[in-house]
Amino acid sequence: MPTRVVLRIDFDKERYIGHGRIRLLELIDEHGSIAKAAAAMEMSYKRAWYLIDEFNSTFSEPIIARQHGGKGGGSAELTPFGRELVRQYRAMEAKALKVFEKPLAFMETRVARPRRGRRLQ
Amino acid sequence: MPTRVVLRIDFDKERYIGHGRIRLLELIDEHGSIAKAAAAMEMSYKRAWYLIDEFNSTFSEPIIARQHGGKGGGSAELTPFGRELVRQYRAMEAKALKVFEKPLAFMETRVARPRRGRRLQ
């Protein structure tokens, strides 16, 4: 596994975006369903709704467009703003690896070898 | 409160550095004591030791130099490598705000106004 820089952006004390929320949006976009996205993250439907509710109240523009009804409880998709948010977050993440190449290399060369008998085998 | 980019660097599935660990190191450096640093973070001494132990096993070089004995249970200080790690992490954090100025501005202009009656008054 290569080194990864994970970003959390805090707009204020209660408003932020982070990896987990962005991943949930990507999965909603992929599956077209909040229930399926929650299942893919091994998250309860209730928890997924809580996150979406928090996320939606973070921004003044809607992130998810939900259509009620239909088979399986209706479909959900990202709004153009929701998609742009995901795109920009992932672009920042990719750029971070390039911009921080030097300090990351400094750290990587000093990372200890995997311990035996722990989670890594 | 201005927007803040918080970084977590995952070296592999179990090895990472993040904001909480770096803050603990800074406080150890400031107070010269693990107990005082833990208290400043409102963290138990046991929890601080657990974090330090995890952190030390992340890297092949020591991060904290501890001198036993003396008043108040002995002193602790960062090694030169520990200080450099903190310095580089904070430099990355500061640089992130500049490098990501555009996407952050895109997001900030769409952050909702604070909700009334919640944590913010």
Side-chain angles (χ1 to χ4, degrees):
Chain A
M1 177 180 151
T3 296
R4 199 174 153 203
V5 178
V6 180
L7 305 171
R8 196 185 74 217
I9 302 155
D10 291 348
F11 299 108
D12 56 35
K13 282 192 179 176
E14 58 176 296
R15 258 165 274 263
Y16 74 94
I17 63 173
H19 169 256
R21 293 181 179 192
I22 293 291
R23 188 72 195 117
L24 182 61
L25 293 188
E26 285 174 334
L27 287 166
I28 289 168
D29 203 29
E30 192 183 322
H31 293 285
S33 150
I34 293 168
K36 285 179 188 165
M41 282 187 89
E42 296 180 1
M43 179 188 282
S44 71
Y45 187 63
K46 193 179 167 186
R47 170 85 183 141
W49 261 110
Y50 171 78
L51 284 180
I52 289 164
D53 186 44
E54 285 283 303
F55 212 163
N56 268 330
S57 67
T58 299
F59 294 100
S60 55
E61 294 186 27
I63 288 169
I64 291 175
R66 192 162 185 253
Q67 297 177 301
H68 286 276
K71 284 181 191 171
S75 61
E77 59 175 18
L78 302 191
T79 62
F81 171 62
R83 277 205 191 93
E84 183 59 17
L85 201 64
V86 170
R87 196 192 67 73
Q88 294 210 11
Y89 178 90
R90 291 301 186 197
M92 286 167 75
E93 198 175 55
K95 193 172 181 179
L97 282 178
K98 289 182 190 171
V99 169
F100 299 135
E101 202 177 348
K102 273 195 181 178
L104 290 177
F106 169 84
M107 293 172 189
E108 281 169 350
T109 56
R110 283 155 182 91
V111 169
R113 287 163 180 272
R115 286 167 290 187
R116 286 166 185 276
R118 297 287 292 259
R119 265 167 283 172
L120 292 175
Q121 299 266 336
Chain B
M1 178 181 150
T3 296
R4 198 173 156 205
V5 178
V6 180
L7 305 172
R8 196 185 74 217
I9 302 155
D10 290 348
F11 298 108
D12 56 34
K13 283 192 178 179
E14 59 175 293
R15 259 165 274 264
Y16 75 93
I17 62 174
H19 170 256
R21 292 181 180 192
I22 292 292
R23 188 73 196 118
L24 181 61
L25 293 188
E26 286 173 335
L27 287 166
I28 288 168
D29 204 31
E30 191 183 324
H31 293 284
S33 151
I34 292 168
K36 284 179 190 166
M41 282 187 89
E42 295 180 3
M43 180 188 282
S44 72
Y45 188 62
K46 193 179 166 187
R47 169 84 184 144
W49 260 109
Y50 171 78
L51 283 180
I52 290 164
D53 186 44
E54 285 282 304
F55 212 162
N56 268 331
S57 68
T58 299
F59 294 100
S60 55
E61 294 186 29
I63 289 170
I64 292 175
R66 191 159 187 255
Q67 297 176 302
H68 288 276
K71 283 181 191 170
S75 61
E77 59 175 17
L78 302 192
T79 62
F81 170 63
R83 274 203 193 96
E84 182 59 17
L85 202 64
V86 170
R87 196 191 65 75
Q88 294 210 12
Y89 177 90
R90 291 301 187 197
M92 288 167 73
E93 200 175 56
K95 194 172 180 180
L97 283 179
K98 288 182 190 170
V99 169
F100 300 135
E101 201 178 348
K102 272 195 181 178
L104 290 177
F106 170 84
M107 293 172 189
E108 280 169 350
T109 55
R110 283 156 183 90
V111 169
R113 288 163 180 273
R115 285 168 290 186
R116 287 168 183 274
R118 299 285 292 259
R119 264 167 285 171
L120 292 175
Q121 299 267 335

